């Protein structure tokens, strides 16, 4: 007899509580169910189930063996699914949560390209700067920037790093002068990003291999929208510390000027997160791989 098949019959008999119920569920005869269980018992040389004419109950070893069989069968199923994935296209709905601006500007276009490549793949994209719960929100994938909190049962893969840049408009620099080093930032007005419900984060600068230097400049404006911060900086309201991908076009057009060119840029990590699973669905794996391949080119 095939051992995996016998394990599956044994697990079904335990789950349903009787050989008769397992036989009906598996389209086998009652005696055949018994043969599968006896095959395992003889192979192991130990009793798995105490059986009487009225009831059956697991032995202590049978209970431990049952749990192991469930794991083995789950892994076998995952292996079969993995092989099937290699021969199939990603299909069904892929639900992704992502930060508003980063998602719209950087993540979504890559996922649109993936959907065009695989016509049976559906996209359900949500844009929000709020920290979401993968399990509660029922999403397949979440994209997050910055530091991550430890979460049990969640897998994280870094897929890019954002280069942060201090910038200001030419008109602001004409009025207030250009900071030459980090210490000069304290004499300038700053436009600060503040996510709703969270403390203001300092500006960070690499410091000779040590923990990043934290700077909290004088605040003139607090905004919870990165694009609005870039617009305010372009209007001459103060200095801004923003991802380079967000202000690249403004810098190339001369609307904003990058500052502290000799200072190494702080790198904000970008991660893809998904719930731990024995078998990662093909649609999720392809999405993560596509983002990891394309996003770094957008960040530079």
């Amino acid at each position: 007899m095939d051992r995996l098949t016998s394990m599956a019959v044994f697990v079904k008999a335990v789950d349903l509580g009787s050989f008769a119920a397992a036989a009906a569920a598996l389209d086998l005869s009652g005696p055949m169910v018994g043969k599968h269980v006896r095959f395992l018992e003889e192979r192991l040389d130990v009793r798995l189930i105490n059986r009487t004419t009225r009831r059956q109950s697991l032995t202590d070893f049978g209970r431990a063996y049952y749990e192991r069989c469930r794991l083995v069968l789950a892994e076998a199923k995952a292996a079969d699914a993995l092989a099937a994935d290699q021969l199939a296209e990603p299909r069904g709905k892929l639900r992704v949560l992502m930060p508003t601006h980063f998602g719209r500007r950087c993540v979504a276009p890559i996922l649109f390209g993936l959907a065009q490549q695989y016509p049976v793949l559906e996209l359900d994209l949500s844009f929000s700067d709020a920290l979401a719960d993968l399990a509660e929100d029922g999403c397949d994938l979440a994209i997050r920037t910055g530091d991550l909190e430890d979460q049990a049962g969640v897998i994280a893969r870094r897929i890019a790093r954002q280069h942060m840049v201090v910038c200001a408009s030419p008109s602001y620099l004409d009025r207030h002068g250009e900071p030459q080093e980090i210490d000069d930032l304290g004499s300038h007005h700053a436009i600060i990003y503040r996510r709703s419900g969270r403390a203001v984060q300092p500006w960070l600068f690499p410091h000779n291999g040590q923990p990043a230097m934290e700077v909290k400049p004088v605040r003139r404006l607090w905004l919870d929208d990165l694009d609005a911060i870039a617009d305010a900086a372009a209007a001459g309201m103060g200095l801004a510390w923003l991802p380079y991908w967000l202000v690249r076009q403004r810098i190339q057009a001369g609307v904003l000027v990058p500052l502290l060119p000799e200072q190494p840029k702080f790198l904000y990590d970008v991660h893809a997160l998904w719930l731990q699973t024995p078998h990662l669905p093909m649609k999720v794996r392809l999405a993560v791989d596509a983002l990891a391949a394309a996003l770094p080119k957008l960040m530079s």
Side-chain angles (χ1 to χ4, degrees):
M1 285 186 168
D2 177 70
R3 189 171 15 152
L4 276 179
T5 302
S6 295
M7 286 180 174
V9 173
F10 167 64
V11 167
K12 184 64 72 173
V14 174
D15 288 342
L16 299 182
S18 73
F19 284 13
L26 298 172
D27 196 23
L28 297 173
S29 67
M32 181 56 70
V33 172
K35 284 184 179 180
H36 280 289
V37 174
R38 283 194 300 276
F39 166 74
L40 294 175
E41 291 178 330
E42 291 170 3
R43 187 179 186 282
L44 298 166
D45 196 24
V46 65
R47 183 175 289 277
L48 299 173
I49 298 177
N50 291 317
R51 297 179 291 279
T52 68
T53 55
R54 290 191 171 186
R55 61 188 297 269
Q56 68 179 40
S57 62
L58 285 171
T59 64
D60 289 342
F61 179 82
R63 187 172 295 105
Y65 187 70
Y66 163 77
E67 295 297 339
R68 290 287 183 174
C69 285
R70 290 184 62 193
L71 294 175
V72 168
L73 293 169
E75 288 298 326
K77 183 178 180 181
D80 288 345
L82 181 63
D85 257 2
Q86 300 303 315
L87 303 174
E89 286 191 349
R91 61 183 61 248
K93 183 180 293 185
L94 176 68
R95 186 166 188 224
V96 186
L97 304 177
M98 63 194 79
T100 303
H101 292 293
F102 185 74
R104 191 171 69 239
R105 296 278 193 89
C106 302
V107 177
I110 297 170
L111 296 181
F112 294 157
L114 193 67
Q116 289 179 330
Q117 185 178 354
Y118 299 103
V120 292
L121 178 65
E122 303 172 16
L123 296 179
D124 183 350
L125 309 183
S126 295
F127 302 86
S128 173
D129 291 329
L131 296 181
D133 186 288
L134 283 161
E136 287 186 6
D137 291 312
C139 67
D140 300 297
L141 188 65
I143 307 302
R144 298 218 179 126
T145 60
D147 295 332
L148 296 177
E149 298 177 356
D150 289 335
Q151 288 183 282
V154 174
I155 303 298
R157 175 183 170 186
R158 189 174 73 189
I159 53 177
R161 309 188 87 180
Q162 299 184 85
H163 297 246
M164 302 299 293
V165 60
V166 179
C167 54
S169 70
S171 63
Y172 176 88
L173 298 175
D174 287 343
R175 296 195 309 272
H176 300 279
E178 181 175 335
Q180 300 300 313
E181 54 188 32
I182 292 176
D183 289 342
D184 295 341
L185 297 178
S187 62
H188 286 266
H189 295 301
I191 309 163
I192 301 297
Y193 175 67
R194 181 169 186 172
R195 183 178 290 173
S196 177
R198 302 187 70 187
V200 173
Q201 299 298 304
W203 294 2
L204 302 174
F205 298 91
H207 184 57
N208 299 325
Q210 303 297 315
M213 183 184 303
E214 298 186 358
V215 176
K216 294 184 177 180
V218 178
R219 304 152 193 164
R220 187 177 184 188
L221 284 177
W222 293 264
L223 300 171
D224 65 358
D225 184 287
L226 292 178
D227 245 343
I229 291 176
D231 288 341
M237 297 298 294
L239 308 183
W241 185 63
L242 291 166
Y244 181 72
W245 60 263
L246 181 68
V247 294
R248 179 192 293 112
Q249 291 184 350
R250 293 177 174 91
I251 289 174
Q252 292 173 345
V255 175
L256 289 174
V257 178
L259 306 174
L260 306 176
E262 302 303 319
Q263 171 63 41
K265 303 298 185 288
F266 185 79
L267 301 177
Y268 253 121
D269 288 339
V270 181
H271 287 92
L273 292 84
W274 60 89
L275 292 175
Q276 188 172 16
T277 176
H279 169 61
L280 186 64
M282 185 182 191
K283 61 185 178 182
V284 177
R285 187 178 71 252
L286 284 178
V288 173
D289 288 345
L291 293 170
L295 280 176
K297 300 173 186 176
L298 299 177
M299 301 297 98
S300 61

